[in-house]
Amino acid sequence: MRPFFVFLVLCLGAAFAVPLAAGAAARPAPAHPGSSGKREDPAAGHRTPGAGDLPGATQSLPLDALGPAAPGAAARSAAQPPATGTRTLPARTVRPFALVGVVWDDIRSALPGHPQVRTRPLGSGRWTGWQDLPAESDDAPDPGAAEGAGGRVRGSTAPLWVGVSDAVQLRVTPLGGNRSSALLPRGLRLELVDPGPEPRSARGGPPTGSKAAASSAANAKLAPLGATEIPAQDRAASQADIEAAGGKKPTAAHLGARPRIVTRAGWGADERLRETRFVYTHTVRAAFVHHSATGNNYSCAQAPSVIRGLYRYHVRSSHWRDIGYNFLIDKCGTVYEGRAGGVARAVMGAHTLGFNNDSTGIALLGSFGRTAPSRAAVEALARLTAWKLGLYGLDPRARVPMTSTGGNLYRKGRVVRQHVISGHRDGFKTACPGARLYAELPEVRLEAARLQGR
């Protein structure tokens, strides 16, 4: 039986719904509200912030009102003709965006297909090739966890960083042969995220608002209020960090030196997006390593923009309380604070469904199924885990018993002996953190132990 394609085509650019011929020259993008009127790169942090210095925006397009493709329309807008039964949305134009993903109403529902996107970089007039959107919702809160900054937690694909673009096309190939589009989950939406420019706090000003002050105060024992980074320090000086982690004695036989960590103020988190409160677990027993699956087409200078895009996607689009990861690492080896609550503390994340309790989640920015992570990123991962796990007296080479709260690999209540440094796939049936990064973890465990003086 010939595979049935559900093919959703969306061409997006500036203000009106108009057909776009493939390869047509891009129209000038409109100025964002509150901007200077110049066409600038929102991912590079050059655009003048809008009213209230609110960084970024999300455009959410419903994908449930699909109709038959007009004769010839899909062929004009796609690199290959669609199969019989193609479903399409009329071409539309919207403001520029840099990160794209798909969400749906219920996290318990799956997207029974293979979604792909291609985009048109702003001002280029040319389309990229088709790129995959991982359809599985594996970076997620535990069942019953106190998430939900925007209502009920949604299912979602991993988002993809595409750079500043003014048009997008999406297609979903259903699995298992000839399927009806009715099998697609309810509330399917295409999310287009503009991460915005760096807010004032990231450019050296003091944090504004109670949430920003609270986020900064959570690291008060490690850096001054409003600091854009927590400085690196040697092993001896890092002993005092145990107190910041909630330990009773500021001494440990094996503790790695603290790496430099860019704070949320440093990467430009708009603290108004997240929920007010912080949620902590009892301790940290393991670190789960992820890749963000956002692709590798970013520069190190763009990494803060990628993180702001992820943050907005997790909170605004997926309805989590905050960004899901506790830490992020870019291809140049820079470490970033993720979920708010204090980098030394046992902050409850939303990264490994079933094992978010008493763990910390570390995501390397990129996709590492076929591409190897940079040496700088792998070395930073070893330094970060040597320090973070050392605060809780953990040997990176060891295994620890952890109880699953429910997932697709281990049932609720199952006790599993996990590596202290585990890959996401060790706790959930997923390709994450990618085969090439997963293969690096034995070396990371040994190096982190060496950095702890073991």
Side-chain angles (χ1 to χ4, degrees):
M1 182 181 295
R2 185 172 58 178
F4 173 89
F5 290 87
V6 174
F7 182 82
L8 315 178
V9 180
L10 293 147
C11 296
L12 308 168
F16 301 99
V18 293
L20 295 175
R27 294 175 174 83
H32 289 237
S35 76
S36 63
K38 296 179 181 179
R39 181 171 49 173
E40 297 170 316
D41 183 345
H46 295 154
R47 177 167 50 79
T48 303
D53 199 22
L54 180 66
T58 301
Q59 301 165 80
S60 185
L61 279 72
L63 301 177
D64 51 359
L66 304 181
R76 288 197 304 270
S77 60
Q80 63 188 56
T84 302
T86 291
R87 313 295 289 183
T88 181
L89 282 177
R92 299 169 188 242
T93 59
V94 296
R95 297 180 303 277
F97 63 96
L99 182 137
V100 59
V102 174
V103 300
W104 51 95
D105 285 349
D106 191 348
I107 194 173
R108 296 169 298 181
S109 299
L111 181 61
H114 178 208
Q116 294 178 302
V117 294
R118 68 175 191 152
T119 58
R120 191 180 64 188
L122 182 65
S124 70
R126 295 181 178 273
W127 289 89
T128 67
W130 289 105
Q131 301 181 78
D132 295 335
L133 284 174
E136 53 196 4
S137 293
D138 49 6
D139 291 343
D142 284 352
E147 294 282 332
R152 187 172 62 181
V153 177
R154 288 171 167 170
S156 62
T157 68
L160 180 69
W161 177 262
V162 295
V164 184
S165 304
D166 62 5
V168 64
Q169 295 178 326
L170 168 70
R171 67 185 183 188
V172 181
T173 307
L175 303 176
N178 189 9
R179 299 290 183 89
S180 165
S181 61
L183 293 177
L184 296 174
R186 296 182 61 182
L188 205 65
R189 305 185 72 86
L190 182 67
E191 302 287 290
L192 305 173
V193 180
D194 168 11
E198 294 181 349
R200 281 188 294 269
S201 58
R203 299 194 294 271
T208 58
S210 59
K211 285 186 179 181
S215 180
S216 185
N219 293 313
K221 293 181 182 296
L222 309 178
L225 187 68
T228 57
E229 67 175 57
I230 297 169
Q233 58 185 20
D234 61 24
R235 289 181 61 197
S238 295
Q239 292 286 337
D241 295 350
I242 298 175
E243 183 179 356
K248 295 181 179 179
K249 296 181 179 180
T251 57
H254 301 287
L255 175 64
R258 184 175 73 203
R260 171 181 172 268
I261 302 172
V262 176
T263 65
R264 290 170 65 90
W267 55 260
D270 179 0
E271 301 293 355
R272 291 167 289 188
L273 295 179
R274 65 170 176 82
E275 283 189 353
T276 301
R277 63 189 179 130
F278 307 141
V279 177
Y280 300 100
T281 60
H282 292 96
T283 187
V284 172
R285 299 174 59 79
F288 282 94
V289 178
H290 304 254
H291 64 178
S292 64
T294 46
N296 305 309
N297 189 27
Y298 73 95
S299 68
C300 292
Q302 290 176 317
S305 295
V306 178
I307 297 171
R308 289 197 303 277
L310 275 169
Y311 173 43
R312 180 172 282 274
Y313 185 77
H314 285 175
V315 177
R316 290 292 199 205
S317 301
S318 302
H319 292 177
W320 302 356
R321 84 158 55 89
D322 196 349
I323 192 170
Y325 308 115
N326 298 100
F327 298 93
L328 303 102
I329 300 173
D330 70 20
K331 63 177 65 174
C332 289
T334 301
V335 178
Y336 300 85
E337 177 185 16
R339 180 163 286 208
V343 295
R345 299 286 302 277
V347 179
M348 178 77 161
H351 49 82
T352 306
L353 180 61
F355 292 96
N356 286 310
N357 198 43
D358 292 346
S359 70
T360 192
I362 305 170
L364 273 62
L365 292 180
S367 301
F368 304 112
R370 298 179 181 178
T371 302
S374 69
R375 179 49 41 188
V378 173
E379 291 173 352
L381 176 61
R383 290 194 299 271
L384 175 60
T385 50
W387 172 74
K388 178 72 176 185
L389 298 174
L391 296 176
Y392 295 87
L394 295 168
D395 183 342
R397 302 166 299 183
R399 289 179 180 264
V400 290
M402 299 189 73
T403 302
S404 172
T405 58
N408 67 0
L409 191 57
Y410 299 107
R411 60 175 173 78
K412 183 177 180 180
R414 170 82 178 271
V415 177
V416 183
R417 290 190 61 80
Q418 295 283 14
H419 287 284
V420 168
I421 299 178
S422 287
H424 188 180
R425 63 176 65 181
D426 294 322
F428 193 89
K429 188 176 181 181
T430 174
C432 182
R436 300 296 295 273
L437 175 53
Y438 190 75
E440 299 280 356
L441 295 189
E443 177 188 337
V444 169
R445 295 179 189 117
L446 293 175
E447 178 61 11
R450 185 189 71 79
L451 292 171
Q452 287 184 344
R454 297 183 186 272

